[in-house]
Amino acid sequence: MNQRVGTDSSPLRFAACESASIPLFATFIGARRRAPPARTHRQIGSQLVGRRILAAMGGLDSSSMETDLDRPNIEEYLTTETIREVPKKLHLSDLLDISPTLTEAAGAIVDDSFTRCFKSNSPEPWNWNIYLFPLWCLGVVVRYGILFPASFSWLVSLSNLISCMFCRVGVLALGWIVFFAAFLPVHFLIRGHDKWRRKIERKLVEMMCSVFVASWTGVIKYHGPRPSRRPQQVFVANHTSMIDFIILEQMTAFAVIMQKHPGWVGFIQKTILESVGCIWFNRTESKDREVVATKIREHTQGVDNNPLLIFPEGTCVNNHYTVMFKKGAFELGCAVCPVAIKYNKIFVDAFWNSKKQSFTTHLAQLMTSWAVVCDVWYLEPQYIRPGEIPIEFAERVRDMISVRAGLKKVPWDGYLKYFRPSPKLTERKQQIFAESVLKRLEEK
Amino acid sequence: MGNTSSMLTQYDIEEVQEHCNHAFSQQEIVSLYHRFCQLDRNSSGFITGDEFLSVPEFAVNPLSQRLLRMLDGLNFKEFVAFLSAFSPRISLQQKIEFLFKVYDFNSNGKVTFDDILSVLRDLTGSFISEQQRQEVITRVLEEAGYRRDSSLVLSDFMRILGSSQLKMEVEVPID
């Protein structure tokens, strides 16, 4: 199994392996290829060492956007072993042997840890036999015909309204009516007493979220102490779908930081969520980061603001893995309270694959399934330790959340869904290879 | 072959297996098919360069552009044939042949000084000067008994790499 080739393995090939194995975390987790496993253990052990070397070298400016994309993988290369290897003379066979790099590429084609993070569960057909098929049919009838009635004619008659009260869309519709009936007057009429208005609006939003949750028959178990309203704290959670926010909002009114969406979701964002205090960002704008960082900082310092909820992954992941956390939430100098969310896949796959379906389709899918069952754990607030850099802090919190929710960690930046990896990564590999070639050239 | 359908028949699997000289088992071919469908997002029957580059691990590989040219427009059967070089069931000779194809950019059966230079450029980027690169290649070529203007054919590659411990294997996950 171990592909390290004996004692006379040419260091050039070894160096090429070093530069080529990216990221070794992936090798460790599940992107299976025949890379030298012995290196993996050393790699994980020296990861922190690598980070310190990186920081000390001041190689990459940590405030540039690109670094976030670079960051997960750079450390993997900077093991001290490469530097200590005694270089051997360069032969033609060594130069022509590009097999490690090719193996890496082929391995990535065959299986890679990043794509796995965004794979939806394919529904396994369990109904294809004589006993289960009628049962499944009955289930469909109940789910689509009774739980989610297609008709929205509740406006027509009261009797319809009553019958729909027992049905999900009816519940949802009723909820919206009540909500708007209460929210609009409060929002526009009670002008002078801001504090009261805020309080009422907050309660209304919480109620609306409960209605949402009820409309998918949400069975949610909360563990741990409920979030409290204090300044100098921020909440971070793993992200599977937009409903994460609704589930958490049901319990406590959070302020949230969100990507602006089009359509009816955008409308709701603009009107209702403004009342709980929301910060908008735009993934595609590069200057956006600094603006958002300032806004976040202001928010956490305000005494009267709702606690801020941030999803540091930056994108929806399929609830089996966590991708790298962005360090924005971790360099504010305040307490970070981790929240872990885990959905029970037996009932429904709550992953919102934003590339495959719109939010409306996603909601409809949720409403036509049996239930949304999930666990929410509020974990102990964490503070940055002396001598810890924000990236390490983010990793530590990600560890906590992943362990608690039973998710595997993957060293990729979620934004790679939308952007290509930075060329700096490739350059790093090239640099290591180049250095080893030159070194070997010196040898006689 | 029905690349747009999500079901592979037994005939399809056997056809693909024939084409790749039994480099992969039938289960592995089914796995590769799922992977192919996963990468081929618009179900066009082949994976575009962009779709390959959406795999970050592939995109950061220094040889990605070179491989993309070889992978461009391949249907599933050819895709499996391409990957067969990475199967443990394939002989060293066939792996060296694959390596030769990577170098032989214009597919004329000869690998020249410029071809080797081009690959080395991909691998080292801007961290070695062009002059140093040429120097390296000239030196090792001469040491191996070739001249700077000689071109290598497949049998040369076999001779040079035949005794090396070339390890080029990828494991196909079977789920």
Side-chain angles (χ1 to χ4, degrees), chain A residues 3 22 32-34 91 95-97 101-103 105 108-110 112 119 420 426-427 430 441 444, chain B residues 35 38 50 55-57 60-61 67 99 103 122-123 125 127-128 136 139 143 166-167 169 171 173:
Chain A
Q3 300 305 297
I22 168 188
R32 286 159 259 185
R33 73 186 65 98
R34 311 248 171 129
H91 297 291
L95 202 66
L96 290 179
D97 184 7
T101 318
L102 289 178
T103 314
I109 294 174
V110 163
D112 78 297
K119 216 163 86 160
R420 293 271 171 269
T426 320
E427 280 171 22
Q430 289 173 331
L441 210 56
K444 287 300 160 216
Chain B
R35 177 67 174 175
Q38 188 187 40
D50 248 352
V55 176
E57 231 172 291
V60 298
N61 194 295
L67 288 171
L99 217 67
Y103 272 98
D122 282 341
L123 285 172
F127 299 95
I128 300 188
V136 169
R139 204 196 290 193
E143 190 219 0
L166 199 81
K167 276 286 184 257
E169 278 165 16
E171 196 182 316

Side-chain angles (χ1 to χ4, degrees), chain A residues 26-52:
Chain A
T27 317
F28 190 66
I29 286 174
R32 286 159 259 185
R33 73 186 65 98
R34 311 248 171 129
R39 256 187 45 77
T40 316
H41 302 307
R42 278 206 301 271
Q43 197 65 35
I44 308 251
S46 65
Q47 206 175 11
L48 273 177
V49 173
R51 283 212 185 90
R52 297 228 181 253

Side-chain angles (χ1 to χ4, degrees), chain A residues 202-362:
Chain A
R202 207 180 300 139
K203 282 291 161 220
L204 281 177
V205 172
E206 278 181 31
M207 181 220 83
M208 194 55 226
C209 289
S210 310
V211 168
F212 250 113
V213 170
S215 77
W216 336 297
T217 323
V219 178
I220 307 178
K221 268 200 292 215
Y222 297 91
H223 311 264
R226 304 291 173 262
S228 45
R229 294 169 50 78
R230 295 188 294 199
Q232 298 294 327
Q233 70 175 358
V234 77
F235 287 81
V236 300
N238 59 312
H239 200 25
T240 304
S241 160
M242 286 240 274
I243 63 173
D244 289 339
F245 166 67
I246 298 177
I247 285 170
L248 291 177
E249 191 81 1
Q250 182 191 218
M251 183 54 60
T252 329
F254 284 112
V256 76
I257 169 170
M258 282 178 91
Q259 165 91 25
K260 269 226 166 90
H261 283 90
W264 65 273
V265 183
F267 169 71
I268 293 182
Q269 285 182 322
K270 269 199 291 266
T271 52
I272 300 167
L273 295 181
E274 285 288 342
S275 69
V276 288
C278 288
I279 301 174
W280 310 117
F281 73 88
N282 200 339
R283 249 177 229 131
T284 49
E285 268 173 51
S286 52
K287 280 289 166 266
D288 204 51
R289 278 200 73 214
E290 286 104 47
V291 175
V292 170
T294 327
K295 284 192 200 166
I296 295 178
R297 208 176 289 264
E298 278 169 17
H299 189 104
T300 48
Q301 262 136 31
V303 179
D304 209 24
N305 290 330
N306 290 326
L308 185 62
L309 175 64
I310 298 180
F311 294 108
E313 284 173 315
T315 188
C316 292
V317 186
N318 73 356
N319 212 226
H320 284 305
Y321 297 93
T322 48
V323 295
M324 298 296 278
F325 277 9
K326 301 207 175 308
K327 61 180 161 75
F330 301 91
E331 47 187 13
L332 300 168
C334 56
V336 170
C337 312
V339 182
I341 307 177
K342 178 75 176 166
Y343 292 90
N344 190 329
K345 283 248 156 58
I346 297 177
F347 293 96
V348 74
D349 181 4
F351 170 47
W352 176 35
N353 197 338
S354 52
K355 297 215 158 175
K356 280 211 183 128
Q357 43 179 206
S358 70
F359 189 56
T360 320
T361 325
H362 175 64

Side-chain angles (χ1 to χ4, degrees), chain A residues 165-189:
Chain A
M165 278 187 30
F166 300 96
C167 310
R168 289 177 172 182
V169 172
V171 166
L172 197 56
L174 193 62
W176 279 119
I177 299 173
V178 172
F179 177 76
F180 275 115
F183 186 82
L184 292 173
V186 168
H187 190 72
F188 292 112
L189 299 180

Side-chain angles (χ1 to χ4, degrees), chain B residues 106-117:
Chain B
N106 40 15
S107 312
N108 60 357
K110 289 196 277 224
V111 168
T112 61
F113 178 84
D114 285 324
D115 290 330
I116 304 176
L117 184 63

